[in-house]
Amino acid sequence: MNNISNIHDCFGCGVCATVCAKQIISIELNGDGFYEPRITDESKCTNCGLCLDVCAYSHDDLSLKDRCIKSYGAWSKDEAVRRKCSSGGVGFELGRTLIGEGYKVCGVRYNAEGNRAEHYIATTVEELIPSIGSKYIQSYTVDGFKAIDRKQKYLVTGTPCQIDSFRRYLQKFKKEDNFVLMDFFCHGVPSKLMWDKYVKWAEAKVGKLTYVSWRNKFTGWHDSWAMAIDGTDHGEPVNWHESYNLLIRGKKSYLNSRLSQGDMFYRLFLSDACLGKACYEKCKYKYDQSSADIRIGDAWGSHYKEDEKGVSAAIAFTEKGNELLQRCNCELEPLSMKVTAEGQMKSCPQKQWYHKMLMSDLKSSKHDIQRVYNRYVKLRRLNSRMSNPFRSVVNLIKRLF
């Protein structure tokens, strides 16, 4: 069959489900907790091959061929926006600028009721607010992507693999001119199984989740790997109709957990212990490899090491992207790519030998997030001892004597 029926453990971008005229492709979680396509009725497949044509996973090259890279350190001129956003607020300012020019935005929000990140359409600045900040879990794209009218103008944001597939989709229908595409420096996506266990732990403290924020800078930008969570038992509900004033001024949540204090979600996510198979084996989007018009992220590195307000790395890969950066409400400091992306990953994460063990624990109903995390700590310690046997022997001798 000339379709995606044999594709598994892919990027889960969902563009194949978007392009299918027969609507026989669904995007579902596989056994490891990652999105992948399913053919719901192969008898209706016409073998048109569109699903494979738009699939970035099935191509070795990038969909964007002609690139002109210009990179900046950037931040919003609006102090409230800069304070609220994960880094410098460039992503929000780009969305706000384009909405003012008649565009719609297909961004990502966290759906607390559905317990997932998902793409959605924002037509006003107020509707754009839920897209503020990073969401370090894989997003469900299908509803958002299918709601896009190719005849209208959109800013579409997503992971680099999602955006690469989406550009192939636009190229197929010759609609690139109507769209601005934005991705970000991506570490990889963790298993939904891990997030579900983390949510269960959090709900024991706050009740059914009503609000989640993955990053805040209440203790500074460099210590902003933080989870802020409210639930039905604790925390003020968010009125999204009045979201702009509430969230731009900053919202302190009932449960706050930081990487620097041992947050289990961040420790497991950043350990590369439970990422998707494609993140380890098929990612071709690190550093300066992108099919977006603009890539954003944190400008980690020595150049802004004293800054605690937050600075975005902003890289334009097309002239369209560079022109948009120039006219949005941001300060831009031209820098080399080497400086702008100094702290970003330059190659795929490496799968650890204990990856299968942790995935097995995540699948088990007997293991909560604390037990999974404790297992990870023990395995990491063992890995360190195996990697440095001489140091391990020296430490053992010190303990004995």
Side-chain angles (χ1 to χ4, degrees):
M1 298 293 285
N2 188 30
N3 60 34
I4 47 78
S5 56
N6 292 322
I7 291 183
H8 304 288
D9 296 311
C10 62
F11 300 138
C13 67
V15 180
C16 56
T18 304
V19 78
C20 180
K22 294 297 182 179
Q23 300 294 292
I24 57 171
I25 301 177
S26 64
I27 303 298
E28 303 171 12
L29 290 170
N30 63 20
D32 288 334
F34 299 96
Y35 291 117
E36 68 177 24
R38 298 276 192 274
I39 303 290
T40 58
D41 189 347
E42 291 216 17
S43 67
K44 294 182 179 179
C45 179
T46 62
N47 288 305
C48 68
L50 280 175
C51 57
L52 290 174
D53 290 342
V54 302
C55 174
Y57 183 82
S58 65
H59 292 78
D60 293 329
D61 59 339
L62 298 178
S63 57
L64 181 64
K65 306 304 181 186
D66 299 320
R67 303 188 306 159
C68 52
I69 299 177
K70 296 183 180 179
S71 55
Y72 307 90
W75 55 93
S76 171
K77 295 177 182 178
D78 185 332
E79 284 294 325
V81 170
R82 188 181 185 188
R83 182 173 61 249
K84 170 58 186 173
C85 293
S86 299
S87 48
V90 172
F92 176 77
E93 291 294 2
L94 292 173
R96 179 157 66 171
T97 296
L98 289 176
I99 285 176
E101 296 176 2
Y103 282 70
K104 298 179 181 180
V105 176
C106 183
V108 179
R109 65 187 174 192
Y110 181 69
N111 180 340
E113 185 174 341
N115 188 32
R116 69 183 187 184
E118 60 185 21
H119 275 72
Y120 76 109
I121 306 298
T123 60
T124 67
V125 173
E126 287 73 22
E127 292 174 353
L128 186 64
I129 295 296
S131 72
I132 284 181
S134 304
K135 287 90 182 167
Y136 294 107
I137 55 177
Q138 191 177 24
S139 64
Y140 181 78
T141 66
V142 179
D143 294 340
F145 283 178
K146 284 187 176 182
I148 289 174
D149 180 351
R150 294 192 300 268
K151 296 179 182 179
Q152 298 184 14
K153 298 187 296 183
Y154 289 84
L155 166 66
V156 180
T157 70
T159 61
C161 50
Q162 290 170 345
I163 294 302
D164 190 17
S165 290
F166 198 84
R167 186 176 288 279
R168 293 181 189 279
Y169 168 71
L170 295 178
Q171 289 171 342
K172 202 70 183 174
F173 295 96
K174 297 179 172 55
K175 291 295 183 180
E176 284 180 278
D177 290 345
N178 287 359
F179 288 78
V180 176
L181 304 182
M182 181 172 72
D183 69 10
F184 51 84
F185 288 104
C186 181
H187 186 95
V189 292
S191 170
K192 180 70 158 44
L193 301 176
M194 190 267 279
W195 174 246
D196 288 344
K197 287 183 182 294
Y198 186 86
V199 168
K200 190 173 182 180
W201 167 81
E203 288 185 338
K205 299 178 181 297
V206 302
K208 174 66 177 174
L209 301 195
T210 58
Y211 172 79
V212 177
S213 173
W214 273 262
R215 296 278 297 275
N216 69 59
K217 294 181 287 198
F218 290 132
T219 56
W221 175 42
H222 288 90
D223 189 24
S224 60
W225 294 95
M227 299 297 303
I229 296 173
D230 288 324
T232 52
D233 297 341
H234 299 283
E236 178 186 350
V238 174
N239 183 342
W240 291 109
H241 295 290
E242 300 176 356
S243 59
Y244 184 83
N245 290 332
L246 171 64
L247 295 186
I248 287 298
R249 75 168 180 261
K251 180 183 186 301
K252 290 193 176 182
S253 296
Y254 180 83
L255 176 61
N256 292 277
S257 181
R258 314 190 80 81
L259 171 64
S260 59
Q261 299 168 345
D263 178 77
M264 292 180 290
F265 171 80
Y266 279 122
R267 289 290 175 90
L268 289 169
F269 167 47
L270 295 173
S271 72
D272 300 338
C274 54
L275 303 180
K277 184 177 180 181
C279 298
Y280 298 116
E281 300 176 3
K282 293 281 286 186
C283 180
K284 49 184 179 282
Y285 307 106
K286 290 294 184 280
Y287 198 57
D288 61 351
Q289 299 301 299
S290 173
S291 290
D293 295 293
I294 298 172
R295 170 169 287 180
I296 60 174
D298 288 276
W300 304 126
S302 57
H303 191 77
Y304 295 112
K305 65 181 180 180
E306 302 300 327
D307 192 296
E308 288 297 343
K309 292 184 178 181
V311 181
S312 297
I315 296 90
F317 291 101
T318 65
E319 193 55 42
K320 178 198 295 184
N322 191 53
E323 289 174 358
L324 175 56
L325 283 173
Q326 297 296 328
R327 69 176 185 271
C328 75
N329 187 40
C330 291
E331 296 285 353
L332 300 177
E333 181 180 5
L335 298 168
S336 68
M337 185 72 188
K338 181 179 180 180
V339 173
T340 304
E342 180 182 346
Q344 300 296 339
M345 296 174 69
K346 296 177 176 59
S347 59
C348 294
Q350 298 298 306
K351 185 185 293 185
Q352 302 297 328
W353 60 269
Y354 47 78
H355 171 77
K356 286 187 177 180
M357 297 183 193
L358 282 182
M359 291 305 301
S360 178
D361 286 350
L362 289 175
K363 294 176 186 179
S364 172
S365 60
K366 298 178 182 179
H367 290 73
D368 60 16
I369 190 68
Q370 187 67 61
R371 290 187 66 181
V372 173
Y373 176 70
N374 291 343
R375 176 78 171 268
Y376 157 69
V377 171
K378 291 178 181 178
L379 291 170
R380 186 184 64 175
R381 189 179 299 127
L382 176 61
N383 188 63
S384 178
R385 289 171 179 170
M386 292 169 60
S387 301
N388 302 279
F390 178 76
R391 187 175 67 185
S392 298
V393 171
V394 170
N395 289 336
L396 177 61
I397 292 173
K398 286 181 179 178
R399 286 189 191 134
L400 290 174
F401 296 97

